[in-house]
Amino acid sequence: MRKVVLYSLMSLDGVAESPDAFVFDFDGPMTDNLAAVIGRQDTVLLGRRMYDEWAAYWPTSDVQPFADFINTVQKYVFTSTPVDATWAATSVVTTDAAAFVRDLKSRPGGDIGVHGSIRLARSLLSAGVIDRLSLVVCPALAGRGRKLFEDDRKLQRLTLAKAAPTPSGGLLLDYEVDHA
């Protein structure tokens, strides 16, 4: 069965919104980690807000390794409103996200990535369909902004799969989600 991997940049105080405000140095190990994560993915799930933002930026970007990946990978956009899905390899999903992802996981293929879409990530975590968290924790306190993890979420057990510091003071953390 395929794994759903939530990849997120976040500040030490848990803020995941607008990482360009607190990621001061995306160093070599962070880039290598990103390349490894996306190298296993053949599908990406995006919320509507992230899709709109990224569809305006990534098609003309040359920031590697992510530009080549995100511009060619199959993207599913979850939305309840009409979307101009002209970005290559984009499909719109208007049905229940968790049910769609459960079905997608049962099909053959590589990992399924969730990138940057905070509301979608939260709903998929709550629904129990995220299998791995791949977090890049940056050495900054953002102070404000939407956090990846909600304060009122239920207890969920995680198992540490990787922890590595980076030269810029960040931490690369991978956790397997215990679905028991």
Side-chain angles (χ1 to χ4, degrees):
M1 183 170 283
R2 301 167 79 181
K3 287 190 175 202
V4 178
V5 178
L6 170 56
Y7 175 88
S8 185
L9 303 171
M10 59 193 298
S11 64
L12 191 58
D13 55 350
V15 173
E17 180 180 38
S18 302
D20 55 321
F22 56 81
V23 177
F24 302 114
D25 184 14
F26 201 82
D27 58 37
M30 290 176 178
T31 301
D32 295 344
N33 179 66
L34 174 59
V37 169
I38 63 177
R40 294 184 293 271
Q41 296 178 358
D42 63 7
T43 305
V44 168
L45 311 176
L46 296 170
R48 172 62 184 273
R49 181 191 260 169
M50 189 57 45
Y51 174 81
D52 288 343
E53 185 178 320
W54 282 12
Y57 176 78
W58 285 108
T60 58
S61 174
D62 61 356
V63 177
Q64 298 302 338
F66 202 69
D68 287 347
F69 164 75
I70 199 64
N71 286 318
T72 58
V73 72
Q74 174 63 55
K75 293 171 282 298
Y76 290 101
V77 180
F78 295 87
T79 183
S80 59
T81 59
V83 62
D84 179 21
T86 57
W87 192 10
T90 297
S91 298
V92 176
V93 180
T94 58
T95 59
D96 177 67
F100 182 86
V101 173
R102 282 186 192 97
D103 178 63
L104 197 59
K105 285 175 69 168
S106 70
R107 299 178 195 171
D111 286 351
I112 301 164
V114 180
H115 295 267
S117 300
I118 296 171
R119 193 163 80 187
L120 177 63
R122 287 175 173 176
S123 73
L124 295 177
L125 272 167
S126 292
V129 296
I130 301 287
D131 300 297
R132 178 179 275 236
L133 304 175
S134 184
L135 306 175
V136 178
V137 180
C138 300
L141 299 172
R144 64 166 69 182
R146 291 186 307 147
K147 295 183 177 187
L148 180 59
F149 306 111
E150 299 168 289
D151 289 337
D152 61 347
R153 67 172 285 103
K154 67 178 182 160
L155 178 65
Q156 193 164 19
R157 185 170 176 90
L158 307 173
T159 301
L160 183 65
K162 176 177 90 174
T166 74
S168 66
L171 289 174
L172 306 176
L173 300 171
D174 282 2
Y175 290 97
E176 297 294 331
V177 178
D178 184 354
H179 292 296

